Amino acid sequence: MNTNLTNHLLNSLIIGNSYSSIDIANLISRTPQFVTQRGGVINTTGDNYLILLITLNKKKTATQYADSIQGTTLSWEAPLKQKYAEKRIEDINTQIFIMVRDSPQKNYFYLGRAIPIRVQLFPKGISSRIRFELFELANNHQSDLFIPDIYDQTFKDSVTETYREVAVRTKQFEYRKQALKLWNNKCAVTNIDEPKVLIASHIKPWRESNTLEKIDPKNSLILSPNYDKLFDLGYISFKPTNGKIQLSDKLKADNWDKLKVNPDAELRFVPPNTDNYLKYHNNYIFNFIPSNKSIEDNLID
């Protein structure tokens, strides 16, 4: 159940509107100093909200956290020393509000609530890495009317194409057909040649891909179900250079044999340009932990 202050934020914040630090302080009945001193992570004891204040282009003297937005996916690095944000984020009752600005001294733009889709947790001194889905922005059909200057044309195009996903999905059949052709109608790892049980898995996930990447057969692996699930969750990946399997340390070692995963497995070949997608998977999916939260959790009040 949301607290009164959390409900106040839900009722007051408007996607696409700009907010100064003073505005944000007023919304939570705190001083501007409280907001500026919190290191971009705002919450109050006893409430179930979390506001992330993100500056994409930081001062040269500031810690250079690698925060970025691609489509409606946000990559965020948590503070090095304070680790309370991670606990809040993984709590399914927390409402996460995203504020983004291009550079210091500018106002923040509110991008709606977000849910974590993958997390990579580290101890103090190392930034945890979290990938969010900006689900309210994706569902806001007026977003193209207020996209501010903080986004480049690629991002503007990505937001627009989110609303075209239904149309793009009609091309999924052709994508699978071309992916099977690329991999010779066999699992890229096990050589299983029964298409009915094989899955055309996106290497760079659907929600994080642009329009062309969504239907690019080079952005595919044809996999048997167990390899597909482990690849999708980031428990395995493949080296872009030679296709050799990589096993995550997030899974107990004795489970690999139970799952029938060969530690010496490798892709039968790495098609041209597929290596770039595998690099993405290595950097942003492999060894992350699938989040405990889901879009469905956040849509239930």
Side-chain angles (χ1 to χ4, degrees), residues 80-196:
L80 290 166
K81 297 180 180 180
Q82 298 175 338
K83 292 295 177 179
Y84 62 84
E86 288 88 329
K87 293 181 180 179
R88 288 272 188 156
I89 286 168
E90 280 293 271
D91 183 347
I92 63 171
N93 294 311
T94 301
Q95 299 286 353
I96 304 170
F97 301 90
I98 304 298
M99 300 274 194
V100 178
R101 64 182 178 182
D102 176 53
S103 58
Q105 312 307 321
K106 291 188 177 181
N107 286 353
Y108 295 93
F109 284 89
Y110 177 53
L111 301 189
R113 287 179 293 165
I115 62 163
I117 51 178
R118 290 191 298 276
V119 298
Q120 197 170 45
L121 303 177
F122 295 106
K124 287 185 177 181
I126 305 175
S127 293
S128 295
R129 303 167 67 201
I130 302 172
R131 303 276 281 177
F132 294 95
E133 172 71 5
L134 302 170
F135 70 95
E136 285 194 314
L137 181 64
N139 292 328
N140 190 304
H141 298 287
Q142 299 300 316
S143 296
D144 56 335
L145 300 180
F146 60 71
I147 297 172
D149 291 338
I150 64 171
Y151 309 119
D152 59 19
Q153 188 60 45
T154 299
F155 178 71
K156 293 178 183 180
D157 291 343
S158 297
V159 172
T160 301
E161 72 197 25
T162 300
Y163 312 134
R164 299 172 181 162
E165 281 195 1
V166 173
V168 174
R169 284 183 184 273
T170 62
K171 299 182 180 180
Q172 285 288 292
F173 176 80
E174 184 64 23
Y175 166 80
R176 174 177 168 80
K177 178 181 176 182
Q178 293 300 320
L180 282 166
K181 181 179 180 181
L182 176 67
W183 291 99
N184 299 320
N185 295 297
K186 297 179 182 179
C187 173
V189 178
T190 64
N191 257 335
I192 292 174
D193 59 358
E194 181 49 68
K196 291 182 179 179

Side-chain angles (χ1 to χ4, degrees), residues 24 148 164 202:
I24 296 168
R164 299 172 181 162
H202 280 84

Side-chain angles (χ1 to χ4, degrees), residues 30-290:
R30 293 294 190 275
T31 65
Q33 289 76 17
F34 176 86
V35 172
T36 57
Q37 293 172 1
R38 298 289 287 179
V41 179
I42 311 297
N43 70 290
T44 49
T45 303
D47 293 297
N48 66 317
Y49 75 86
L50 186 70
I51 300 175
L52 299 184
L53 303 179
I54 300 167
T55 302
L56 298 179
N57 297 303
K58 301 166 181 63
K59 292 180 180 178
K60 292 182 179 180
T61 56
T63 303
Q64 297 301 304
Y65 295 111
D67 304 324
S68 64
I69 297 175
Q70 183 174 39
T72 54
T73 302
L74 166 67
S75 296
W76 181 73
E77 291 193 345
L80 290 166
K81 297 180 180 180
Q82 298 175 338
K83 292 295 177 179
Y84 62 84
E86 288 88 329
K87 293 181 180 179
R88 288 272 188 156
I89 286 168
E90 280 293 271
D91 183 347
I92 63 171
N93 294 311
T94 301
Q95 299 286 353
I96 304 170
F97 301 90
I98 304 298
M99 300 274 194
V100 178
R101 64 182 178 182
D102 176 53
S103 58
Q105 312 307 321
K106 291 188 177 181
N107 286 353
Y108 295 93
F109 284 89
Y110 177 53
L111 301 189
R113 287 179 293 165
I115 62 163
I117 51 178
R118 290 191 298 276
V119 298
Q120 197 170 45
L121 303 177
F122 295 106
K124 287 185 177 181
I126 305 175
S127 293
S128 295
R129 303 167 67 201
I130 302 172
R131 303 276 281 177
F132 294 95
E133 172 71 5
L134 302 170
F135 70 95
E136 285 194 314
L137 181 64
N139 292 328
N140 190 304
H141 298 287
Q142 299 300 316
S143 296
D144 56 335
L145 300 180
F146 60 71
I147 297 172
D149 291 338
I150 64 171
Y151 309 119
D152 59 19
Q153 188 60 45
T154 299
F155 178 71
K156 293 178 183 180
D157 291 343
S158 297
V159 172
T160 301
E161 72 197 25
T162 300
Y163 312 134
R164 299 172 181 162
E165 281 195 1
V166 173
V168 174
R169 284 183 184 273
T170 62
K171 299 182 180 180
Q172 285 288 292
F173 176 80
E174 184 64 23
Y175 166 80
R176 174 177 168 80
K177 178 181 176 182
Q178 293 300 320
L180 282 166
K181 181 179 180 181
L182 176 67
W183 291 99
N184 299 320
N185 295 297
K186 297 179 182 179
C187 173
V189 178
T190 64
N191 257 335
I192 292 174
D193 59 358
E194 181 49 68
K196 291 182 179 179
V197 302
L198 298 178
I199 300 169
S201 180
H202 280 84
I203 302 172
K204 183 176 181 180
W206 171 275
R207 67 160 59 89
E208 295 161 43
S209 298
N210 63 34
T211 301
L212 294 178
E213 292 169 338
K214 284 179 168 70
I215 58 175
D216 182 5
K218 301 296 180 62
N219 184 21
S220 75
L221 290 181
I222 296 297
L223 296 171
S224 55
N226 61 328
Y227 278 93
D228 172 76
K229 189 65 175 180
L230 292 166
F231 184 78
D232 181 59
L233 293 174
Y235 287 124
I236 65 172
S237 193
F238 300 93
K239 293 183 178 180
T241 52
N242 55 21
K244 290 187 179 296
I245 197 169
Q246 301 179 93
L247 306 182
S248 172
D249 58 9
K250 308 299 182 184
L251 202 63
K252 293 180 181 179
D254 61 350
N255 280 328
W256 297 116
D257 185 57
K258 296 174 184 176
L259 289 165
K260 307 300 181 184
V261 173
N262 179 0
D264 297 318
E266 59 186 21
L267 299 178
R268 292 184 286 110
F269 59 93
V270 179
N273 299 323
T274 294
D275 57 334
N276 290 324
Y277 291 114
L278 288 173
K279 289 175 185 176
Y280 186 93
H281 191 276
N282 279 202
N283 289 332
Y284 296 111
I285 300 171
F286 178 59
N287 252 344
F288 278 71
I289 303 171

Side-chain angles (χ1 to χ4, degrees), residues 1-11 46-50 91-97 113 293 297-301:
M1 182 178 293
N2 296 328
T3 65
N4 289 336
L5 184 49
T6 302
N7 281 328
H8 175 63
L9 291 171
L10 287 168
N11 293 327
D47 293 297
N48 66 317
Y49 75 86
L50 186 70
D91 183 347
I92 63 171
N93 294 311
T94 301
Q95 299 286 353
I96 304 170
F97 301 90
R113 287 179 293 165
K293 300 183 79 173
D297 290 329
N298 283 264
L299 294 179
I300 298 174
D301 293 328

